[in-house]
Protein backbone atom coordinates (compact mmCIF):
# COMPACT_ATOMS: atom_id res chain seq x y z
CA UNK A 1 0.00 0.00 0.00
CA UNK A 2 1.40 3.39 -0.96
CA UNK A 3 1.54 6.23 1.60
CA UNK A 4 -1.27 7.99 -0.30
CA UNK A 5 -3.48 4.87 -0.17
CA UNK A 6 -2.76 4.48 3.54
CA UNK A 7 -3.69 8.12 4.15
CA UNK A 8 -7.04 7.74 2.41
CA UNK A 9 -7.78 4.45 4.16
CA UNK A 10 -7.18 6.04 7.59
CA UNK A 11 -9.05 9.22 6.66
CA UNK A 12 -12.08 7.33 5.33
CA UNK A 13 -12.27 5.18 8.46
CA UNK A 14 -12.64 8.28 10.65
CA UNK A 15 -14.64 10.31 8.14
CA UNK A 16 -17.86 8.25 8.19
CA UNK A 17 -19.91 6.82 11.05
CA UNK A 18 -23.34 5.54 12.03
CA UNK A 19 -24.56 4.07 8.72
CA UNK A 20 -28.30 3.99 8.20
CA UNK A 21 -30.71 2.86 5.50
CA UNK A 22 -33.65 5.04 4.44
CA UNK A 23 -36.57 3.40 2.66
CA UNK A 24 -38.93 5.48 0.54
CA UNK A 25 -42.65 5.09 1.09
CA UNK A 26 -45.92 6.37 -0.27
CA UNK A 27 -47.69 5.95 3.10
CA UNK A 28 -45.37 6.86 5.96
CA UNK A 29 -47.97 6.34 8.70
CA UNK A 30 -48.66 2.79 7.52
CA UNK A 31 -44.95 1.99 7.07
CA UNK A 32 -44.13 3.47 10.50
CA UNK A 33 -46.79 1.36 12.20
CA UNK A 34 -45.40 -1.76 10.50
CA UNK A 35 -41.82 -1.22 11.70
CA UNK A 36 -42.96 -0.21 15.19
CA UNK A 37 -44.93 -3.46 15.40
CA UNK A 38 -41.65 -5.30 14.69
CA UNK A 39 -40.09 -3.69 17.76
CA UNK A 40 -38.37 -0.68 16.18
CA UNK A 41 -38.52 2.41 18.42
CA UNK A 42 -39.08 5.85 16.93
CA UNK A 43 -36.05 8.10 17.55
CA UNK A 44 -36.67 11.01 15.16
CA UNK A 45 -39.47 12.54 13.14
CA UNK A 46 -40.07 15.67 11.14
CA UNK A 47 -42.26 17.59 11.40
CA UNK A 48 -43.10 16.90 15.03
CA UNK A 49 -46.84 17.34 14.51
CA UNK A 50 -49.09 16.11 11.75
CA UNK A 51 -48.09 13.58 9.13
CA UNK A 52 -44.30 13.26 9.08
CA UNK A 53 -42.16 13.36 5.95
CA UNK A 54 -39.31 11.44 7.61
CA UNK A 55 -39.17 9.06 10.59
CA UNK A 56 -36.16 7.20 11.98
CA UNK A 57 -36.39 4.04 14.05
CA UNK A 58 -33.84 2.06 16.07
CA UNK A 59 -33.67 -1.61 16.99
CA UNK A 60 -30.73 -3.18 18.78
CA UNK A 61 -28.38 -0.32 17.81
CA UNK A 62 -29.41 -0.26 14.13
CA UNK A 63 -31.28 2.68 12.59
CA UNK A 64 -33.68 2.57 9.71
CA UNK A 65 -35.39 5.62 8.23
CA UNK A 66 -38.59 6.08 6.32
CA UNK A 67 -39.02 9.04 3.98
CA UNK A 68 -42.01 9.97 1.91
CA UNK A 69 -41.58 9.67 -1.81
CA UNK A 70 -43.13 13.12 -2.31
CA UNK A 71 -40.89 14.94 0.18
CA UNK A 72 -37.78 13.38 -1.33
CA UNK A 73 -38.82 14.76 -4.71
CA UNK A 74 -39.95 18.17 -3.38
CA UNK A 75 -37.20 18.79 -0.82
CA UNK A 76 -34.20 17.24 -2.56
CA UNK A 77 -35.08 17.12 -6.26
CA UNK A 78 -34.54 13.35 -6.41
CA UNK A 79 -36.68 10.71 -8.10
CA UNK A 80 -37.06 7.91 -5.53
CA UNK A 81 -38.74 4.60 -6.19
CA UNK A 82 -41.11 3.73 -3.35
CA UNK A 83 -42.00 0.16 -4.26
CA UNK A 84 -40.31 -3.03 -5.33
CA UNK A 85 -37.29 -5.06 -4.31
CA UNK A 86 -34.46 -2.51 -4.19
CA UNK A 87 -33.07 -3.32 -0.74
CA UNK A 88 -33.53 -5.85 2.01
CA UNK A 89 -33.99 -5.32 5.73
CA UNK A 90 -32.43 -8.26 7.58
CA UNK A 91 -33.88 -9.24 10.96
CA UNK A 92 -32.07 -11.86 13.05
CA UNK A 93 -34.18 -13.99 15.36
CA UNK A 94 -34.14 -17.20 17.36
CA UNK A 95 -37.38 -18.38 15.71
CA UNK A 96 -37.71 -17.85 11.96
CA UNK A 97 -41.10 -19.59 11.54
CA UNK A 98 -42.69 -17.43 14.25
CA UNK A 99 -41.03 -14.27 12.90
CA UNK A 100 -42.18 -15.07 9.36
CA UNK A 101 -45.78 -15.60 10.52
CA UNK A 102 -45.69 -12.38 12.57
CA UNK A 103 -44.58 -10.38 9.54
CA UNK A 104 -47.45 -11.84 7.50
CA UNK A 105 -49.92 -11.05 10.32
CA UNK A 106 -48.74 -7.42 10.12
CA UNK A 107 -49.57 -7.29 6.41
CA UNK A 108 -46.28 -8.31 4.80
CA UNK A 109 -46.51 -10.29 1.57
CA UNK A 110 -44.97 -13.79 1.73
CA UNK A 111 -42.10 -14.27 -0.73
CA UNK A 112 -40.31 -17.45 0.44
CA UNK A 113 -41.25 -19.54 3.48
CA UNK A 114 -38.59 -20.67 5.96
CA UNK A 115 -35.89 -22.82 4.37
CA UNK A 116 -32.34 -23.90 5.24
CA UNK A 117 -29.47 -21.99 3.67
CA UNK A 118 -25.71 -22.69 3.79
CA UNK A 119 -26.30 -25.63 6.15
CA UNK A 120 -26.21 -23.26 9.12
CA UNK A 121 -29.01 -20.75 8.67
CA UNK A 122 -32.78 -20.82 8.43
CA UNK A 123 -34.17 -17.94 6.37
CA UNK A 124 -37.51 -16.64 5.14
CA UNK A 125 -38.44 -13.68 2.93
CA UNK A 126 -41.39 -11.28 2.84
CA UNK A 127 -42.08 -7.89 1.31
CA UNK A 128 -43.05 -5.07 3.64
CA UNK A 129 -46.07 -2.90 2.89
CA UNK A 130 -44.13 -0.93 0.26
CA UNK A 131 -42.57 -3.97 -1.40
CA UNK A 132 -39.15 -3.76 0.32
CA UNK A 133 -37.68 -7.18 1.01
CA UNK A 134 -37.43 -8.28 4.63
CA UNK A 135 -35.41 -11.38 5.44
CA UNK A 136 -35.80 -13.20 8.74
CA UNK A 137 -32.70 -15.24 9.56
CA UNK A 138 -31.72 -17.66 12.33
CA UNK A 139 -28.43 -19.39 13.03
CA UNK A 140 -29.21 -23.12 13.44
CA UNK A 141 -25.70 -24.57 13.71
Amino acid sequence: MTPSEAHWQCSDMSLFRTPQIVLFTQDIDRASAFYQALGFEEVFRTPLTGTPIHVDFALDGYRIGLATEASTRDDHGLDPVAEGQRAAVILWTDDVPTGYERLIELGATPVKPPEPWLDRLLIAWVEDLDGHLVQVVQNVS
Side-chain angles (χ1 to χ4, degrees):
M1 179 179 312
T2 69
S4 178
E5 290 171 330
H7 167 77
W8 281 108
Q9 183 176 5
C10 291
S11 296
D12 288 346
M13 289 173 50
S14 62
L15 180 62
F16 300 108
R17 68 181 188 290
T18 319
Q20 174 180 345
I21 294 292
V22 174
L23 302 175
F24 302 113
T25 181
Q26 295 175 353
D27 188 336
I28 199 161
D29 290 327
R30 180 188 70 175
S32 294
F34 178 81
Y35 282 95
Q36 283 179 312
L38 297 180
F40 282 84
E41 180 181 330
E42 184 177 313
V43 294
F44 170 83
R45 89 170 21 224
T46 191
L48 293 175
T49 59
T51 300
I53 60 170
H54 186 107
V55 181
D56 286 349
F57 296 94
L59 176 66
D60 199 24
Y62 180 78
R63 286 177 72 125
I64 187 170
L66 299 171
T68 63
E69 183 182 30
S71 74
T72 304
R73 278 195 186 92
D74 297 343
D75 296 343
H76 305 292
L78 302 175
D79 190 24
V81 178
E83 57 187 40
Q85 298 178 354
R86 296 156 323 284
V89 174
I90 310 303
L91 300 173
W92 286 84
T93 182
D94 292 326
D95 188 346
V96 165
T98 299
Y100 177 74
E101 290 303 321
R102 178 67 177 138
L103 288 162
I104 293 168
E105 288 171 9
L106 293 170
T109 302
V111 174
K112 291 186 90 175
E115 63 185 12
W117 189 58
L118 298 178
D119 296 325
R120 59 179 166 42
L121 300 174
L122 182 64
I123 64 170
W125 294 89
V126 300
E127 288 182 342
D128 75 5
L129 306 178
D130 288 297
H132 302 105
L133 285 169
V134 178
Q135 180 192 62
V136 185
V137 59
Q138 172 184 357
N139 191 342
V140 292
S141 60

